[in-house]
Amino acid sequence: MEPRIGVLALQGDFEAHQHALARAGAEAIDVRTADDLNQVDGLIIPGGESTTMLKLLDMENLFEPLREFGRKKPIFGTCAGAILLASEVLNPLQESLGLMDLTVERNAYGRQIDSRIAQIELQGEPAEAVFIRAPAIRRVGPDGKVLAKYQNSPVLVEQGKHMVATFHPELTDDARIHERFVEKVKQAS
Ligand code: GLN
């Protein structure tokens, strides 16, 4: 059976994730309320603006339900979503769900070169990655597994059932990363 995977649809680029999930063989569902969360086996938190997302999560009373969800089910955070999953956020210090033992620094690549398409190394193979005002992962906890690197820094990390990418895998045709998350959701459910 196809797993049902939610995409947090409060703000940011959630539609591209829905298409990527469909390509990876999952049923994609918009998540806007705690009730929606109860309907899904895993969740993607998309890119966007993490400060705005935090405000909306607060307004919708979704922050705690989301943390509770992440204690039981897999979450994949991309870009702003990665910032929300981390245990420590720098530049500036910011509240987060703390579901992964990671330190991330927001807007880490500077103003001039803040968005680019780059070649990364994905488990020993080349892949293309789109970075948009991306954060950098400055520390990975002992249970984290680095799956991809760019300029020798981690850009895709897995820890138990969760996963984060500092880039936008939903914006390239390469389905490998969404497929991996769909697999994780299948295993967990
Ligand atoms: N710069 C954004 C933030 O700090 C993240 C950018 C993105 O998600 N593309 O929240």
Side-chain angles (χ1 to χ4, degrees):
M1 231 181 70
E2 285 192 347
R4 306 183 87 195
I5 302 187
V7 183
L8 188 67
L10 297 178
Q11 192 258 346
D13 82 353
F14 48 89
E15 272 182 32
H17 273 295
Q18 291 170 338
H19 297 140
L21 280 173
R23 285 200 298 270
E27 186 187 346
I29 291 171
D30 278 357
V31 167
R32 294 195 170 87
T33 64
D35 222 38
D36 295 341
L37 266 183
N38 291 328
Q39 315 299 320
V40 298
D41 308 311
L43 182 77
I44 291 183
I45 306 181
E49 197 55 46
S50 56
T51 46
T52 310
M53 264 187 226
L54 278 171
K55 275 186 204 134
L56 293 170
L57 285 175
D58 197 42
M59 278 167 59
E60 304 294 329
N61 288 318
L62 251 183
F63 188 85
E64 274 310 321
L66 203 53
R67 185 178 264 168
E68 208 37 58
F69 178 91
R71 291 202 178 106
K72 298 181 215 119
K73 294 181 178 172
I75 302 184
F76 178 24
T78 59
C79 208
I83 297 169
L84 288 185
L85 280 187
S87 51
E88 187 180 31
V89 180
L90 308 175
N91 188 34
L93 288 177
Q94 183 170 291
E95 191 186 15
S96 56
L97 294 164
L99 289 165
M100 284 178 73
D101 185 12
L102 294 173
T103 301
V104 302
E105 181 185 334
R106 295 180 60 209
N107 302 316
Y109 295 95
R111 272 279 157 103
Q112 300 307 315
I113 44 162
D114 58 3
S115 300
R116 86 201 70 170
I117 299 173
Q119 282 292 121
I120 60 166
E121 194 192 306
L122 176 60
Q123 296 198 294
E125 286 176 42
E128 212 165 62
V130 180
F131 291 91
I132 304 171
R133 302 188 62 227
I137 297 171
R138 296 295 185 210
R139 183 190 62 85
V140 177
D143 297 331
K145 185 171 161 198
V146 176
L147 301 175
K149 283 183 173 182
Y150 172 61
Q151 292 180 343
N152 240 0
S153 297
V155 290
L156 178 67
V157 174
E158 183 172 85
Q159 182 194 316
K161 52 188 174 304
H162 304 312
M163 206 163 100
V164 289
T166 59
F167 56 97
H168 289 259
E170 76 284 8
L171 296 182
T172 44
D173 293 333
D174 190 338
R176 279 180 287 175
I177 296 173
H178 282 81
E179 281 167 4
R180 187 175 182 101
F181 185 61
V182 171
E183 254 337 286
K184 287 171 85 67
V185 173
K186 279 187 190 161
Q187 277 166 24
S189 58

